Amino acid sequence: MDGHGDGQSRWCLSQVKGAVDDDVAEADIISAVEFNHSGELLATGDRGGRIVIFQQEQENKSLPQCRAEYNVYSTFQSHEPEFDYLKSLEIEEKINKIRWLPQKNAAHFLLSTNDKTIKLWKISERDKRPEGYNLKEEDGRYRHPSSLTTLRVPVFQPMDLMVEASPRRVYANAHTYHINSISVNSDNETYLSADDLRVNLWHLDYTDRSFNIVDIKPANMEELTEVITASEFHPLQCNTFVYGSSKGSVRLCDMRASALCDQHSKLFEEPEDPSTRSFFSEIISSISDVKFSHSGRYMMTRDYLTLKIWDLHMESHPVETYQVHGYLRSKLCSLYENDCIFDKFECCWRGDDSEVMTGSYNNFFRMFEREGQRDVTLEASWENGSPGCPLKSWRVSTGSRRKRNEIGVDCLDFSRKILYTSWHPQENIVALATVNNLYLFQEKLN
Amino acid sequence: MEYKVEAHRIMSISLGKIYNSRVQRGGIKLHKNLLVSLVLRSARQVYLSDYYSGACLNAQSEREGNEWDITDSEREKFPPSTTECDRVESPEEPQLTEQPEASEKEREYRENDAEKSERVDCTSTSEQESNQNSSLDSVSTETTTESPSDTTVAERDSTPVVVNGESHQPPKTHVCSSNRKRSAEESESGDAPQKRTKVASSNTKEDEEEAEEMDTGNVSNLITIFGSSFSGLLSKDGTKPEAEAEESGQICCDQMLKNLNPWSTAIVAF
């Protein structure tokens, strides 16, 4: 399982962000992690509706061994709790997804969403301000006209860097059910938002209209058998998107075919193995995340126990299947009881699509090398690793004998889980969230 | 038998999750509730299919015999009278008119064919010669019988009913709820749960619909049923399985099923 003989991996702990005490406030629990397209910025969202953006510092030439660190760049409140008076329901402010727009000018734009409303945020820097007004004093008071004897041209003077986040658009009232995904189109003008039963297409500039492109709501809700769980636009083809369902299938749709894409163009589904059927087969086959590769040739899906990589040209079965934590298969009943079976793990691709990674329990995360068929289990823990020190890989054993760096299935801590991960698009830096901490790992350079 | 105990345990856990989802912040999560309802259905299938296939015939044969006997005797005791039928009909009518008749045809019942003819004229759907009608009607008189699962305790307001096939007078107000629960239970397990009425409908479906429609009448009905039946049964259920685990053999089976059966109807109440 572990390709490294001495149990050492290539990865080192780089930074840990967030409080280190065990007492975690609900609002501080991280619910979204996303690098931007250059990797310079890393955004995290939490259950309290806040977004914290970290910026990678400029490389320090004198310390080539260490890559630049990420420090807080901006913090703002993206969403507030709301109340739907008509249905007497509270709308959580928890940030479900963050997606960055490709950068077009000096400012950065991102989309953030909670259960019902999507917002477009502009993050801009201000490091100069005009000084030398004629009519105003420096503190803003107006000067008496009689004191004006000369004229001068105001000039921009440097000031302390100020990062401002302002909401530029609010896309509201388009979703009856809970939004689970947003995805920016490669045309950089439109994006999609998906809830349990519908996928809507928006133009970034218009908040008062949205086009419904997928609707799987049955005429009779009693006949409901599946819901949409994740959706994403193709990274290169602006007409193509996919959505995953709770039944374990992924549908690829082409918007050129018709306005309403209820008829899929491709259906990616692997027949269920009847020998593993149990009460919980349906739950564990539910797709929790779907991600296209950067090349656009492949697509990765995450369900409860596995990661599958699909070739878009082949619908019948995935080209690669990786067991994330197959040892949990015998524990499904307990995981159902403690609700862990409903955890939605995300997954991500490395920048060159050669590796994929996803999270697990006990603060473990798993990385799979596609070519070499090697995989590794690492732990996100600030106690066990010091910055710069290579992480030791772990094994989970089902037997009773324990070797070093082995842990028994029954000793796993299911309250510590890594659901959200993001891989730097160019460098080998990964960001992942445990319950309330953000971990950054980077690959050893030698 | 182990899998039946397991199925039952899973059913009770699922019910708990559905119940708790009502009070969760952010509203009812459609995805999670759909998954829970699927598990609930699978577990119920396992439990009921096994039950009706006679796997526990040893323990159940007597009881089942009693059931059908009582059915006949009940029929004699409570011949279809207009008053009864009216009582059955009136609460049902609103729901029946809601439902397209086609949906009723889809439901299968395991009612005794013999009962069919006698009850047909009593319902508004008499033109349908399907078992559903008969079951609906007969339920009104047979509320106490059925399977040992009989009703029950779940529907009755707070008076626990001895569940061993004896006949007793169900509270009038609950006749119809029993009807629906009975008929829903009798339906082929695995079919979409009956949406005939507020009470009988699957609660998960209720939840899903509430996401859009928020029928407060349904909500309060279901909460009432949950409130009275759920907690009582939970505590009973919680203690019983542990007790049963220590016992063995036939006795265990009997006692277990006595308690499990009211659960089935409670589940169907969803």
Side-chain angles (χ1 to χ4, degrees):
Chain A
M1 187 166 145
D2 181 353
H4 304 273
D6 59 354
Q8 296 240 344
S9 70
R10 319 185 312 265
W11 294 90
C12 317
L13 175 63
S14 172
Q15 290 174 276
V16 182
K17 303 284 188 192
V20 291
D21 50 316
D22 288 333
D23 215 10
V24 182
E26 165 90 9
D28 293 333
I29 295 176
I30 297 173
S31 55
V33 178
E34 190 79 6
F35 276 105
N36 75 338
H37 293 274
S38 66
E40 184 205 353
L41 298 178
L42 174 64
T44 62
D46 63 24
R47 287 200 190 174
R50 290 166 304 205
I51 289 183
V52 180
I53 299 178
F54 300 89
Q55 182 188 41
Q56 194 176 26
E57 295 298 328
Q58 295 306 310
E59 290 232 1
N60 192 336
K61 298 288 193 295
S62 64
L63 294 167
Q65 295 296 87
C66 296
R67 283 209 186 82
E69 286 197 338
Y70 282 84
N71 296 316
V72 177
Y73 180 64
S74 174
T75 304
F76 56 95
Q77 186 77 31
S78 171
H79 286 74
E80 298 274 2
E82 285 172 57
F83 199 79
D84 181 341
Y85 297 100
L86 194 62
K87 297 176 192 169
S88 298
L89 287 177
E90 195 180 359
I91 299 169
E92 280 189 284
E93 67 276 28
K94 165 176 167 273
I95 304 295
N96 290 338
K97 283 289 190 302
I98 294 172
R99 289 289 182 265
W100 290 92
L101 267 59
Q103 196 174 5
K104 283 197 281 196
N105 50 39
H108 299 274
F109 288 86
L110 62 80
L111 284 172
S112 68
T113 185
N114 70 347
D115 282 340
K116 296 286 183 184
T117 305
I118 306 135
K119 293 188 185 181
L120 177 69
W121 288 88
K122 175 180 177 184
I123 296 106
S124 49
E125 292 182 5
R126 192 191 292 270
D127 62 355
K128 291 187 276 288
R129 67 158 184 255
E131 286 179 17
Y133 283 103
N134 289 295
L135 297 176
K136 284 193 285 188
E137 299 284 1
E138 293 306 325
D139 58 8
R141 283 179 303 145
Y142 281 96
R143 293 169 67 181
H144 197 271
S146 61
S147 67
L148 295 175
T149 52
T150 59
L151 282 178
R152 56 182 177 171
V153 177
V155 292
F156 275 99
Q157 297 291 345
M159 59 177 258
D160 290 338
L161 179 65
M162 196 163 71
V163 182
E164 301 169 323
S166 58
R168 306 302 291 177
R169 300 277 190 281
V170 177
Y171 311 92
N173 304 319
H175 287 279
T176 309
Y177 300 95
H178 298 313
I179 297 175
N180 52 55
S181 315
I182 48 175
S183 177
V184 184
N185 203 347
S186 53
D187 65 7
N188 224 351
E189 285 185 354
T190 57
Y191 75 95
L192 64 76
S193 59
D195 66 23
D196 291 320
L197 297 178
R198 300 188 176 103
V199 180
N200 291 335
L201 180 72
W202 302 81
H203 191 287
L204 285 165
D205 290 342
Y206 303 109
T207 61
D208 61 348
R209 71 201 74 170
S210 150
F211 295 95
N212 177 242
I213 53 178
V214 174
D215 188 341
I216 64 167
K217 185 175 182 225
N220 189 354
M221 276 297 271
E222 294 171 38
E223 293 156 10
L224 181 73
T225 53
E226 71 182 317
V227 295
I228 296 169
T229 53
S231 185
E232 193 178 59
F233 263 120
H234 191 277
L236 304 170
Q237 295 166 18
C238 59
N239 52 282
T240 307
F241 67 96
V242 293
Y243 65 92
S245 84
S246 56
K247 275 191 170 173
S249 60
V250 179
R251 286 172 175 79
L252 184 143
C253 301
D254 187 336
M255 293 196 290
R256 298 170 299 187
S258 70
L260 192 59
C261 298
D262 280 357
Q263 301 288 328
H264 55 264
S265 298
K266 284 180 190 272
L267 173 63
F268 298 87
E269 199 171 30
E270 188 175 26
E272 191 195 339
D273 180 3
S275 66
T276 58
R277 181 129 187 88
S278 74
F279 286 125
F280 310 105
S281 299
E282 278 145 334
I283 300 188
I284 62 170
S285 66
S286 176
I287 304 284
S288 57
D289 194 18
V290 62
K291 288 266 172 41
F292 279 103
S293 65
H294 293 90
S295 63
R297 166 90 191 262
Y298 298 96
M299 169 181 76
M300 167 164 60
T301 59
R302 174 74 155 95
D303 52 56
Y304 192 64
L305 297 178
T306 66
L307 257 185
K308 292 178 182 171
I309 294 181
W310 302 77
D311 185 328
L312 291 184
H313 299 119
M314 185 164 75
E315 301 163 63
S316 54
H317 60 88
V319 289
E320 294 152 44
T321 301
Y322 300 105
Q323 297 296 325
V324 180
H325 37 218
Y327 45 78
L328 295 182
R329 197 176 279 277
S330 55
K331 307 263 172 229
L332 293 180
C333 196
S334 327
L335 294 166
Y336 179 70
E337 277 183 79
N338 62 17
D339 271 1
C340 284
I341 207 172
F342 300 106
D343 287 334
K344 290 188 166 190
F345 290 93
E346 291 186 5
C347 52
C348 55
W349 293 85
R350 182 172 151 161
D352 60 5
D353 297 339
S354 63
E355 275 185 85
V356 293
M357 104 175 219
T358 187
S360 178
Y361 294 103
N362 209 69
N363 278 357
F364 285 159
F365 59 101
R366 303 266 282 136
M367 289 180 164
F368 301 92
E369 257 179 68
R370 296 179 64 202
E371 282 299 307
Q373 292 290 308
R374 292 191 300 185
D375 62 87
V376 70
T377 304
L378 301 171
E379 185 186 10
S381 157
W382 58 273
E383 289 162 3
N384 295 335
S386 53
C389 188
L391 295 175
K392 287 200 167 28
S393 61
W394 283 86
R395 287 177 58 111
V396 178
S397 66
T398 46
S400 54
R401 298 177 61 177
R402 298 274 170 275
K403 295 182 216 165
R404 253 187 62 194
N405 265 43
E406 261 193 17
I407 183 169
V409 181
D410 297 318
C411 302
L412 295 173
D413 186 349
F414 290 97
S415 64
R416 298 191 306 147
K417 58 191 87 167
I418 294 176
L419 302 175
Y420 311 108
T421 59
S422 187
W423 206 310
H424 192 292
Q426 271 122 38
E427 296 168 29
N428 271 343
I429 299 175
V430 295
L432 46 90
T434 57
V435 172
N436 69 323
N437 290 116
L438 178 71
Y439 281 79
L440 283 148
F441 295 94
Q442 62 186 43
E443 198 179 22
K444 267 195 312 186
L445 290 173
N446 52 2
Chain B
M1 266 309 287
E2 280 175 12
Y3 48 86
K4 285 176 70 72
V5 173
E6 182 69 11
H8 174 252
R9 195 169 137 259
I10 289 171
M11 285 197 292
S12 56
I13 292 167
S14 304
L15 286 175
K17 289 189 192 302
I18 293 171
Y19 189 57
N20 288 331
S21 73
R22 293 174 162 280
V23 300
Q24 268 170 9
R25 214 177 149 232
I28 294 159
K29 305 266 189 294
L30 182 62
H31 182 206
K32 184 177 175 186
N33 276 273
L34 177 68
L35 295 177
V36 171
S37 73
L38 291 174
V39 171
L40 184 61
R41 212 178 293 174
S42 305
R44 186 168 142 248
Q45 251 176 337
V46 166
Y47 175 68
L48 287 179
S49 66
D50 207 53
Y51 175 78
Y52 284 113
S53 67
C56 293
L57 213 47
N58 286 343
Q60 285 304 307
S61 55
E62 267 190 53
R63 207 167 284 124
E64 281 177 10
N66 286 346
E67 169 198 342
W68 297 120
D69 288 340
I70 284 164
T71 299
D72 291 332
S73 62
E74 284 285 309
R75 210 179 302 146
E76 289 158 15
K77 282 184 206 168
F78 305 105
S81 64
T82 47
T83 49
E84 262 194 312
C85 289
D86 290 342
R87 200 176 57 232
V88 172
E89 277 183 3
S90 44
E92 286 178 347
E93 254 177 346
Q95 291 79 19
L96 286 172
T97 51
E98 279 172 26
Q99 290 291 319
E101 309 228 319
S103 66
E104 292 181 20
K105 284 181 183 142
E106 292 165 25
R107 291 191 285 268
E108 301 169 42
Y109 288 81
R110 293 202 185 95
E111 280 298 302
N112 194 339
D113 282 342
E115 303 165 44
K116 179 167 58 169
S117 49
E118 296 191 38
R119 299 287 178 263
V120 167
D121 50 288
C122 276
T123 65
S124 56
T125 57
S126 57
E127 63 270 24
Q128 288 190 18
E129 293 200 336
S130 59
N131 288 334
Q132 297 120 6
N133 298 332
S134 58
S135 65
L136 269 180
D137 293 331
S138 46
V139 174
S140 66
T141 56
E142 291 169 16
T143 48
T144 63
T145 65
E146 313 247 309
S147 33
S149 53
D150 208 293
T151 48
T152 253
V153 189
E155 294 87 280
R156 303 303 185 264
D157 267 330
S158 45
T159 46
V161 165
V162 176
V163 187
N164 53 8
E166 292 171 16
S167 62
H168 19 252
Q169 296 284 347
K172 297 272 196 286
T173 51
H174 280 198
V175 164
C176 299
S177 57
S178 313
N179 289 347
R180 298 167 207 139
K181 289 190 168 108
R182 161 67 166 150
S183 50
E185 185 198 339
E186 286 294 284
S187 73
E188 186 63 39
S189 58
D191 277 359
Q194 317 319 317
K195 184 60 177 187
R196 176 176 294 265
T197 63
K198 319 169 187 178
V199 173
S201 57
S202 153
N203 185 46
T204 56
K205 301 307 176 205
E206 282 283 307
D207 288 350
E208 289 149 15
E209 295 214 8
E210 280 166 17
E212 267 210 302
E213 292 158 357
M214 274 311 278
D215 187 343
T216 49
N218 293 356
V219 175
S220 54
N221 263 346
L222 285 159
I223 287 174
T224 310
I225 288 161
F226 279 138
S228 59
S229 66
F230 198 76
S231 50
L233 284 169
L234 251 189
S235 54
K236 206 171 18 156
D237 189 56
T239 52
K240 272 298 178 186
E242 277 83 86
E244 306 312 331
E246 293 154 20
E247 301 176 33
S248 60
Q250 200 81 339
I251 304 161
C252 171
C253 178
D254 288 354
Q255 285 177 340
M256 203 49 176
L257 286 165
K258 249 192 259 183
N259 294 323
L260 290 181
N261 292 324
W263 265 107
S264 314
T265 46
I267 289 158
V268 167
F270 277 98

